[in-house]
């Protein structure tokens, strides 16, 4: 059996104020092509289908179009809810969907699999929606569910109970932050990296494959436990992470292989660092005029209207930051230390300018103006 593992579509998310709907529609169209080309039997979407608990009408339309297109390839589609989704809104029409499209959002049904058979027998798919302990503990009052780890461990016990009742191979689908995940800037916006939110890898023992969502970059925690990541780059912190999905194959004995399938990137993301003039150089413009650009300019002083100047050359410049290059002196001595050792008002002003300019003190002209102002102040005090 061939399974395509995707996650974190985030339909409706914007990228620095720009809609991503058209780009996502293009990428999901490429997913459909891959499903057909690789004779995929089951497509999994491991949570965060929408970016908001209250999706727009256009977001529902895009989801509907994507699910119908995938279904028309002949594949079964299994969708679970993530922390960005409203389980009620995502799952309200589950009973109305055509045969072969399954939306699993009810925590009380975790142990009840969706079963798909192939020549080697049945494969049971156990969908675990995102489980917020404070919300779902009402369903299992006998269990202690204070943390995400405890809650996911309980859910996986329900999965293993289901596995004991349903002979055959098994796949679990979940949405959480698992231990062993690389902590990068591409982590979810709301992920808290304290111990309470981390689910140990051992929790997922049992199924032949575990399809995880929640992390936006491709990650392999073990041969049979993986994250597929998001189909689009949703932040500059993700720009170097590939976009795609896992093509997982099960044979008669269980997990057989997993192959990464790259997806197209509608518009590349690039971070350009240097002085503003360097970033605006002709070579950079030729190479990146059509890219999403994050510009980090290192001039000592803030430049006038940097975003306007950047967008004249880079129409898709989404972000600009001023980060003056730090000097070794600024790295060694803290602002408070420089203030403590300042003997004069001139020293204090220079310390302040070094602090706010990442180690760069006043220019020669600024130093002259500082001396003039301080001399005028001294003369005024002498006349009082």
């Amino acid at each position: 059996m061939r399974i395509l593992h995707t996650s974190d579509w985030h339909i409706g998310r914007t990228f620095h104020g720009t809609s991503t709907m058209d780009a996502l529609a293009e990428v999901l169209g490429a997913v459909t092509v891959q499903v057909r080309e690789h004779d995929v039997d089951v497509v999994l979407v491991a949570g965060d289908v929408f970016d908001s608990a209250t999706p727009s009408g256009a977001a529902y339309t895009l989801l509907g179009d994507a699910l119908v297109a995938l279904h028309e390839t002949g594949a079964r589609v299994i969708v679970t809810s993530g922390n960005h989704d409203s389980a009620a809104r995502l799952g309200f029409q589950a009973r109305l969907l055509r045969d072969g499209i399954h939306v699993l959002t009810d925590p009380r049904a975790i142990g009840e699999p969706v079963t798909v058979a192939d020549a080697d027998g049945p494969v049971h798919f156990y969908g675990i929606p995102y489980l917020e302990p404070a919300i779902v503990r009402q369903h299992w009052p006998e269990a202690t569910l204070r943390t995400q780890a405890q809650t996911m461990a309980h859910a996986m016990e329900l999965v293993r109970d289901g596995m004991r009742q349903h002979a055959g191979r098994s796949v679990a689908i979940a949405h959480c932050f698992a231990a062993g995940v690389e902590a990068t800037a591409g982590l979810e916006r709301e992920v808290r990296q304290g111990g309470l939110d981390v689910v140990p890898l051992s929790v997922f023992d049992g199924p032949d494959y575990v399809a995880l969502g929640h992390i936006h970059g491709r990650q392999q925690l073990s041969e049979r436990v993986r994250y597929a990541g998001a189909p689009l780059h949703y932040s500059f912190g993700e720009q170097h992470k590939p976009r795609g999905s896992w093509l997982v194959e099960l044979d008669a004995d269980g997990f057989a292989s997993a192959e990464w399938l790259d997806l197209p990137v509608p518009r590349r993301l690039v971070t350009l660092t240097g002085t503003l003039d360097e970033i605006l150089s002709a070579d950079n413009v030729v190479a990146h005029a059509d890219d999403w650009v994050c510009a980090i300019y290192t001039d000592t002083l803030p430049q006038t209207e940097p975003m306007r100047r950047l967008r004249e050359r880079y129409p898709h410049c989404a972000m600009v930051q001023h980060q003056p290059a730090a000097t070794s002196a600024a790295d060694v001595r803290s602002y408070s230390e420089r203030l403590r050792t300042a003997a004069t008002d001139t020293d204090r002003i220079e310390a302040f300018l070094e602090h706010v300019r990442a180690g760069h003190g006043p220019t020669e002209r600024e130093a002259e103006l500082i001396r003039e102002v301080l001399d005028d102040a001294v003369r005024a005090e002498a006349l009082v």
Side-chain angles (χ1 to χ4, degrees):
M1 179 174 291
R2 290 186 173 182
I3 301 165
L4 193 73
H5 168 196
T6 76
S7 72
D8 295 273
W9 290 3
H10 285 281
I11 301 173
R13 177 172 285 195
T14 59
F15 182 78
H16 293 274
T18 301
S19 171
T20 62
M21 297 282 271
D22 290 343
L24 184 57
E26 176 184 339
V27 172
L28 294 180
V31 171
T32 302
V33 172
Q34 290 179 344
V35 169
R36 184 172 282 109
E37 289 180 344
H38 292 275
D39 294 323
V40 171
D41 300 295
V42 181
V43 178
L44 308 181
V45 186
D48 278 355
V49 179
F50 293 122
D51 189 59
S52 167
T54 56
S56 66
Y60 276 109
T61 299
L62 177 54
L63 174 61
D65 291 345
L67 294 180
V68 168
L70 290 170
H71 180 266
E72 288 177 347
T73 67
R76 301 280 285 272
V77 185
I78 301 175
V79 180
T80 60
S81 52
N83 56 304
H84 277 249
D85 300 310
S86 163
R89 285 188 172 87
L90 182 61
F92 87 98
Q93 56 184 349
R95 294 182 181 179
L96 306 179
L97 292 172
R98 64 189 67 190
D99 183 47
I101 301 177
H102 310 270
V103 180
L104 310 180
T105 62
D106 187 353
R108 296 167 297 183
I110 288 173
E112 302 171 11
V114 172
T115 300
V116 181
D118 65 3
D120 295 315
V123 178
H124 306 293
F125 293 85
Y126 297 88
I128 305 174
Y130 179 75
L131 302 174
E132 182 62 43
I135 296 175
V136 301
R137 66 170 63 109
Q138 61 176 314
H139 301 310
W140 307 296
E142 73 286 356
T144 300
L145 305 179
R146 296 192 182 92
T147 69
Q148 184 80 172
Q150 291 172 334
T151 307
M152 188 58 67
H154 182 74
M156 284 302 299
E157 283 300 327
L158 297 177
V159 169
R160 284 185 281 269
D161 287 343
M163 290 170 58
R164 285 187 283 270
Q165 297 174 35
H166 300 84
R169 296 157 293 169
S170 58
V171 174
I173 312 154
H175 195 87
C176 66
F177 181 26
V181 170
E182 178 189 353
T184 68
L187 289 176
E188 276 280 61
R189 293 170 294 188
E190 73 290 338
V191 167
R192 297 162 291 165
Q193 295 184 41
L196 292 180
D197 292 314
V198 179
V199 179
L201 182 58
S202 59
V203 163
F204 301 106
D205 290 347
D208 294 291
Y209 184 74
V210 179
L212 295 179
H214 199 33
I215 304 302
H216 285 190
R218 175 186 70 184
Q219 302 216 21
Q220 177 180 335
L221 304 188
S222 74
E223 190 69 14
R224 40 171 288 283
V225 182
R226 301 170 188 250
Y227 284 95
L232 283 182
H233 290 113
Y234 286 118
S235 75
F236 282 101
E238 302 168 18
Q239 68 188 64
H240 300 299
K241 292 186 174 294
R243 303 290 89 170
S245 50
W246 290 110
L247 178 63
V248 178
E249 187 150 356
L250 302 183
D251 60 18
D253 297 321
F255 178 84
S257 65
E259 175 189 355
W260 179 254
L261 301 182
D262 283 309
L263 283 170
V265 177
R267 191 180 303 284
R268 295 184 305 167
L269 279 69
V270 63
T271 298
L272 302 179
T273 303
T275 66
L276 192 58
D277 286 342
E278 290 170 345
I279 292 173
L280 292 170
S281 69
D283 288 345
N284 269 336
V285 172
V286 169
H288 303 295
D290 293 327
D291 298 342
W292 287 115
V293 171
C294 171
I296 301 176
Y297 72 94
T298 58
D299 302 70
T300 302
L301 299 176
Q303 300 298 293
T304 303
E305 297 185 303
M307 181 59 87
R308 179 189 62 77
R309 295 169 61 187
L310 285 161
R311 284 187 171 169
E312 287 175 353
R313 302 286 187 90
Y314 304 103
H316 307 289
C317 182
M319 192 174 181
V320 59
Q321 298 177 3
H322 180 217
Q323 292 183 9
T327 64
S328 58
D331 293 337
V332 172
R333 301 176 63 208
S334 69
Y335 179 44
S336 60
E337 290 172 337
R338 292 198 293 272
L339 284 181
R340 280 197 298 270
T341 58
T344 66
D345 287 340
T346 300
D347 294 337
R348 296 183 184 94
I349 293 172
E350 288 179 353
F352 172 75
L353 291 175
E354 289 178 9
H355 174 62
V356 298
R357 293 176 177 175
H360 295 279
T363 64
E364 184 176 343
R365 176 55 181 157
E366 289 171 338
E368 292 177 4
L369 292 172
I370 291 168
R371 286 194 295 272
E372 290 176 12
V373 170
L374 293 178
D375 288 345
D376 289 343
V378 171
R379 284 192 291 271
E381 290 178 0
L383 295 174
V384 175

